[in-house]
Amino acid sequence: MKLIYCPQCGHKLVTKTIGGQPRRACPACDYVHWSNESLGAGGIVVKNGQVLLVQRGQAPNKGGWTIPGGFVEQHETIRQAVVREVAEETGIQTKPVGIVGMGETSYLEEHNLYLGCKLRYLGGTLKPQLSEVQQVRFVSLKELDELPVADLSRRLIKLALQTDGLAHFENFTNWHHHHFYY
Ligand SMILES: [Zn+2]
C-alpha cells in the first residue's frame, strides 16, 4: 500500500528521508506516515482432547483449516477480540487464558502481528459463520496431523498444549492503558 494523499489535509504526499528511512510525508502540514500495522488474534480451544478448527471459506487459503480468529478492532483488547471472533465464527463461547505465541510479518510498507491465545471452553453449539467459514469442528490430534492445517495454526496449537511458559493475561492487564514496558 502506498499512500497518495495526506489524510490530515488532502495535499499530495512526497517521499522524504526522516530518521534514516524513506517515509511518506506531507509538504503542506506536519503529517508523516510512520507505520501501517495490523493486529490479529486466533484462539486455541481444547475440549476433551480435541481442538476447535475452522475450514476457511475465503481467500487466502480457501479450503484450508486454521484456528478461529480475526482482526482486533481499535476499541477492543486482544482478549475481547479473540473471544468475539471465536464466538462469531464457530458459535462457541470461551474465556481467555493467555497468549501462547505469535506470528509476525514485517515489510517496508506494513507490519502484521497475530497473537495465538489459549481459551477455555465454556459451551455453545457449533455453528459456522457461513460468509467466512465452510465448516467448524473439534478435531482429534490425529486428525490435526492429517488435515491441511495452516502451519502457524499447527505451531500455536502445539504451544498451547504445552502449558509451560504460557504468558497469562493477568501479566498484561494494563498494556492498553499505559505505555509499553519491556
Ligand atoms: Zn497534510
Side-chain angles (χ1 to χ4, degrees):
M1 184 204 72
K2 188 175 181 182
L3 269 183
I4 309 290
Y5 297 103
C6 176
Q8 219 161 255
C9 77
H11 200 281
K12 211 161 185 179
L13 296 176
V14 296
T15 301
K16 279 192 211 171
T17 299
I18 300 169
Q21 293 284 335
R23 301 179 201 276
R24 301 294 284 169
C26 182
C29 76
D30 61 357
Y31 178 78
V32 178
H33 181 64
W34 291 105
S35 60
N36 176 36
E37 284 114 5
S38 79
L39 182 57
I44 300 107
V45 186
V46 180
K47 179 193 169 197
N48 301 328
Q50 297 189 313
V51 183
L52 182 60
L53 290 183
V54 302
Q55 186 179 32
R56 291 183 55 85
Q58 292 177 333
N61 190 27
K62 186 176 177 178
W65 293 79
T66 67
I67 56 174
F71 288 107
V72 178
E73 301 286 359
Q74 292 276 303
H75 66 280
E76 288 178 314
T77 61
I78 305 286
R79 70 190 87 175
Q80 288 169 337
V82 70
V83 166
R84 174 184 56 74
E85 285 285 351
V86 169
E88 284 174 5
E89 288 190 350
T90 71
I92 297 300
Q93 305 301 318
T94 58
K95 183 180 186 319
V97 179
I99 296 167
V100 299
M102 68 177 195
E104 184 179 37
T105 56
S106 60
Y107 308 104
L108 184 60
E109 298 285 348
E110 63 182 49
H111 193 144
N112 307 303
L113 183 64
Y114 177 89
L115 293 170
C117 303
K118 189 169 185 173
L119 306 177
R120 184 170 302 125
Y121 172 80
L122 294 181
T125 305
L126 285 174
K127 186 173 181 294
Q129 183 183 39
L130 289 173
S131 57
E132 293 180 22
V133 167
Q134 293 178 32
Q135 287 186 64
V136 298
R137 278 175 55 199
F138 280 98
V139 307
S140 68
L141 298 185
K142 184 170 177 294
E143 282 177 287
L144 182 68
D145 287 338
E146 293 159 0
L147 285 172
V149 177
D151 184 54
L152 178 60
S153 288
R154 205 183 282 285
R155 280 186 289 132
L156 291 170
I157 291 164
K158 298 254 155 81
L159 283 167
L161 295 173
Q162 308 158 1
T163 51
D164 292 350
L166 191 66
H168 282 266
F169 272 125
E170 287 68 23
N171 299 333
F172 302 99
T173 300
N174 293 319
W175 273 25
H176 65 293
H177 286 141
H178 300 294
H179 292 293
F180 228 83
Y181 297 107
Y182 290 94

